[in-house]
Amino acid sequence: MKLLKEKILQEGIVLSENVLKVDSFLNHQMDPVLMSEIGREFANRFTSESITKVLTIESSGIGPGIMAAMHLQVPLIFARKRKSMTLTDNLLTSSVYSFTKQEDYTISVSSKFITSQDNVLIIDDFLANGQAALGLIDLINEAGAALAGVGIVIEKGFQEGGRVLRERGIKVESLAILKSLKDGNIQFADAATE
Ligand code: G4P
Ligand code: NA
Ligand code: NA
């Protein structure tokens, strides 16, 4: 997605070989116009899949998730990472390992909001090792729902998440795929003009 890649080149800050900071438009301050275009792009890429729900994980998945849900005209559900005072229903839960924090955390969604009738699109801001996406897939499986695919704003192509998901036959659509962050340079897997 050309608009996104231009924004990444203009405002992305390479923190290390492995980490790209994009807090001016995605992870802290959010650009609503760009986010709406991101949502429209996801909706276009998954338009033939008869999606009934979009599923993401708090907090940075919620922006792109709600915009994708708006363009698909379906509800967004965000999985919680912490226990919620009011979320006391029957819960779908999964344990996710964070490589960054080197610890497991539990994600949960009320079973009320994902059922066996649903065809679910997962949206997230980043795809690194894929643990968060795998946890969300667990929740969908627990509910007996179908997985339509995974939409990612920025995939780190040099980490294994994309391969892990695609090897399972999952449709993964990433709007920007980073090939490398070496020497402070942002390189995409395909042309920045696509
Ligand atoms: P994994 O699921 O792929 O194993 O992810 P990991 O634990 O390594 O990532 C932890 C957090 O860091 C996630 O957000 C993830 O989206 C984010 N992240 C991973 N790589 C990058 C990167 O290069 N740049 C940025 N900006 N973020 C990255 P989170 O902790 O769940 O936080 P949030 O959703 O509340 O923002
Ligand atoms: Na995230
Ligand atoms: Na994040």
Side-chain angles (χ1 to χ4, degrees), residues 18-20 27 58-60 81 98-101 125-126 128-132 156:
N18 294 316
V19 181
L20 179 70
N27 288 139
E58 64 174 346
S59 56
S60 297
K81 286 180 185 164
S98 167
F99 281 92
T100 327
K101 293 170 191 131
D125 58 335
F126 270 90
N129 294 294
Q131 296 302 307
K156 296 198 287 182

Side-chain angles (χ1 to χ4, degrees), residues 66-77:
I66 191 69
M67 290 302 189
M70 188 185 75
H71 287 282
L72 287 163
Q73 297 275 287
V74 298
L76 168 75
I77 303 141

Side-chain angles (χ1 to χ4, degrees), residues 55-57 79 92-97 105-109 114 122 124 129-143 165 168:
L55 175 64
T56 190
I57 182 165
L92 307 164
T93 63
S94 177
S95 180
V96 174
Y97 179 72
Y105 59 98
T106 302
I107 60 171
S108 55
V109 161
I114 306 178
I122 291 174
D124 211 353
N129 294 294
Q131 296 302 307
L134 291 172
L136 292 172
I137 292 168
D138 276 349
L139 301 184
I140 292 167
N141 290 338
E142 255 179 86
L165 298 177
R168 293 184 175 209

Side-chain angles (χ1 to χ4, degrees), residues 25-27 29-40 42 60 62-68 71 153:
F25 64 91
L26 185 58
N27 288 139
Q29 176 171 262
M30 283 195 202
D31 178 335
V33 176
L34 174 64
M35 215 53 70
S36 180
E37 289 309 313
I38 283 171
R40 190 194 310 279
F42 282 134
S60 297
I62 295 176
I66 191 69
M67 290 302 189
H71 287 282
V153 181

